[in-house]
């Protein structure tokens, strides 16, 4: 069975072809980073236009790389939310057109749910129940999954997403976009205890996240430094901010493990590529309740269409299917 996956929710035009549950026949990603870099973040109208320019080319490349024909496709899975409305519409329109012309089923996929499926692409030994942490530029979400179909929202950010905090802090430090990988790399040379930035844990029990106080604290401290001084301390700023952000994520996972008595943890989303987060999560294993931690390779953590195809395949196998009235849901909440 061949599933075509399409992802256009933000600033990546991505198409993939998945054979059965786990074999990625092709995965093409056209990133718009250079387009948005100079604005310090994604400009929605520019993103939509770039998707329009790219989508047909990327679709054809994916077919070519998978060495298949359009008529070999059996299912179309597309991200239909949450995300930028104009960007989502490009992918959904393409998916509907393909499903209609080939007379094959169509499945709309939640972008955050799709991120989790990077784990099913990367590992073949995942057992339910498990905890999933999705940390991306738009979301910070903690889920308890009992099966592919049954899951509970444990917690989410009450303000900025974790990746958004990385990107905004990078901007305050005069670094370019996206800030996450740059802060990750700079931190290697910095001292994580150079600055004492706050860790907002929202009480002893909460599984929600908050990053805006940390972001503001870093911006305030940086504003006290002149340009030369800031450049001298930039690695310490990066490492101290990153340490605080990672500590918050790790603490919430620790709490979720205790609360659900489940020691299997899946990580997903762009921030899952962060090396310090990966390192500190591995350390959690020493704390007995954590059994296994699944972290997909960085290329599957950031936006891609293979994860969308994989999530769509699982939804279809579990009886889900959409019609050609499928619409975009820019504000689609995880627990809707
Ligand atoms: O999942 P993703 O590609 O797109 C969204 O759905 O948002 O995540 C992008 C986010 C950006 O905020 C980026 O700065 C962050 O992931 N990111 C990282 C790293 N690589 C990407 N954050 C921290 N460390 C990284 N190595
Ligand atoms: Zn994403």
């Amino acid at each position: 069975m061949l599933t075509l996956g399409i992802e256009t929710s933000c600033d990546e035009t991505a198409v993939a072809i998945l054979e059965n549950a786990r074999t990625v026949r092709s995965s093409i990603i056209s990133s718009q980073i250079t387009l948005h870099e100079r604005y310090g973040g994604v400009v929605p109208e520019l993103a939509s236009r770039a998707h329009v320019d790219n989508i047909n080319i990327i679709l054809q490349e994916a077919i070519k790389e998978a060495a298949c024909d359009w008529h070999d496709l059996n299912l179309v899975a597309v991200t239909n939310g949450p995300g930028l409305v104009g960007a989502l519409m490009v992918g959904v329109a393409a998916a509907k057109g393909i499903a209609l012309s080939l007379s094959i089923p169509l499945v709309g996929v939640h972008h955050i749910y799709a991120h989790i499926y990077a784990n099913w692409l990367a590992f073949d030994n995942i057992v339910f129940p498990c905890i999933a942490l999705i940390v991306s530029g738009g979301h910070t979400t903690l889920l308890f999954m009992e099966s592919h179909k049954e899951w509970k929202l444990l917690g989410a950010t009450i303000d900025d997403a974790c990746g958004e905090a990385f990107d905004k802090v990078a901007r305050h430090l005069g670094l370019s976009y996206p800030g996450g990988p740059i802060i990750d790399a700079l931190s290697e040379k910095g001292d994580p205890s150079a600055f004492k930035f706050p860790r907002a844990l929202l009480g002893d029990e909460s599984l929600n996240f908050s990053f805006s106080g940390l972001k503001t604290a870093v911006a305030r401290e940086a504003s006290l430094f002149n340009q030369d001084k800031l450049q001298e301390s930039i690695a310490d700023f990066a490492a101290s901010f990153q340490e605080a952000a990672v500590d918050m994520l790790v603490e919430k996972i620790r709490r979720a493990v205790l609360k659900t008595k489940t020691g299997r943890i899946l990580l997903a989303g762009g921030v899952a590529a962060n090396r310090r987060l990966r390192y500190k999560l591995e350390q959690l294993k020493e704390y007995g309740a954590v059994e296994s931690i699944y972290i997909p390779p960085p290329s599957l953590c950031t936006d891609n269409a293979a994860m969308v195809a994989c999530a769509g395949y699982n939804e279809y196998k579990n009886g889900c299917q959409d019609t050609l009235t499928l619409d975009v849901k820019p504000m689609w909440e995880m627990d809707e």
Side-chain angles (χ1 to χ4, degrees):
M1 174 161 173
L2 291 186
T3 303
L4 176 75
I6 301 179
E7 160 62 44
T8 62
S9 66
C10 191
D11 60 344
E12 262 95 25
T13 316
V15 177
I17 294 174
L18 183 73
E19 183 179 325
N20 299 325
R22 297 192 57 234
T23 307
V24 180
R25 290 267 293 260
S26 63
S27 178
I28 313 286
I29 304 169
S30 165
S31 169
Q32 304 174 5
I33 283 179
T34 47
L35 184 67
H36 302 288
E37 210 169 23
R38 78 176 100 148
Y39 305 102
V42 178
V43 183
E45 180 59 20
L46 293 183
S48 313
R49 291 182 197 190
H51 287 308
V52 171
D53 288 343
N54 289 335
I55 188 76
N56 287 330
I57 301 165
I58 305 297
L59 278 163
Q60 268 152 10
E61 268 186 52
I63 291 281
K64 192 170 161 210
E65 194 175 299
C68 67
D69 186 78
W70 288 101
H71 292 280
D72 297 328
L73 299 176
N74 305 105
L75 173 68
V76 186
V78 61
T79 302
N80 67 315
L84 303 171
V85 61
L88 288 165
M89 283 170 77
V90 178
V92 169
K96 284 185 190 178
I98 293 165
L100 177 65
S101 62
L102 298 175
S103 299
I104 56 174
L106 171 72
V107 181
V109 175
H110 191 293
H111 180 78
I112 303 308
Y113 187 74
H115 267 298
I116 305 169
Y117 280 81
N119 286 279
W120 270 274
L121 289 173
F123 308 103
D124 63 0
N125 59 344
I126 298 171
V127 179
F128 290 111
C130 49
I131 292 166
L133 174 69
I134 306 100
V135 261
S136 71
H139 300 267
T140 306
T141 306
L142 198 53
L143 296 181
F144 177 63
M145 295 184 80
E146 284 171 286
S147 70
H148 287 295
K149 280 170 97 169
E150 296 156 291
W151 46 263
K152 259 200 320 252
L153 184 67
L154 295 175
T157 183
I158 58 166
D159 42 54
D160 292 346
C162 186
E164 185 183 358
F166 271 88
D167 296 338
K168 287 181 175 167
V169 162
R171 192 144 42 133
H172 285 300
L173 297 177
L175 303 167
S176 55
Y177 172 85
I182 301 169
I183 288 182
D184 187 346
L186 265 177
S187 299
E188 297 275 293
K189 294 172 264 164
D191 173 5
S193 57
F195 299 97
K196 297 273 170 290
F197 292 132
R199 277 100 168 129
L201 295 175
L202 310 171
D204 292 341
E205 303 276 316
S206 173
L207 293 176
N208 287 329
F209 302 85
S210 168
F211 293 99
S212 82
L214 169 61
K215 172 195 70 187
T216 308
V218 180
R220 198 181 305 123
E221 187 72 30
S223 72
L224 303 176
F225 285 58
N226 66 33
Q227 267 311 315
D228 290 345
K229 268 264 175 247
L230 184 62
Q231 281 318 309
E232 269 171 37
S233 324
I234 196 103
D236 286 344
F237 265 102
S240 302
F241 157 74
Q242 177 177 271
E243 197 71 2
V246 166
D247 281 352
M248 285 192 262
L249 296 174
V250 173
E251 170 59 14
K252 297 301 164 130
I253 288 183
R254 194 189 65 82
R255 289 180 185 184
V257 167
L258 285 181
K259 184 170 177 177
T260 62
K261 299 185 177 51
T262 301
R264 286 178 292 276
I265 297 154
L266 312 180
L267 211 63
V271 184
N274 185 270
R275 282 172 289 179
R276 189 68 177 162
L277 176 60
R278 286 167 173 249
Y279 172 76
K280 287 203 136 183
L281 278 178
E282 287 300 333
Q283 281 188 327
L284 253 194
K285 274 200 204 147
E286 286 162 26
Y287 164 83
V290 176
E291 194 184 304
S292 35
I293 296 169
Y294 298 91
I295 310 177
S299 62
L300 284 174
C301 287
T302 45
D303 285 352
N304 66 86
M307 67 186 197
V308 177
C310 184
Y313 171 88
N314 273 288
E315 288 196 23
Y316 181 70
K317 287 286 169 188
N318 280 303
C320 297
Q321 194 179 319
D322 286 292
T323 65
L324 292 173
T325 60
L326 178 72
D327 215 344
V328 297
K329 295 186 191 175
M331 309 291 280
W332 195 357
E333 293 294 338
M334 196 72 212
D335 51 357
E336 255 174 57

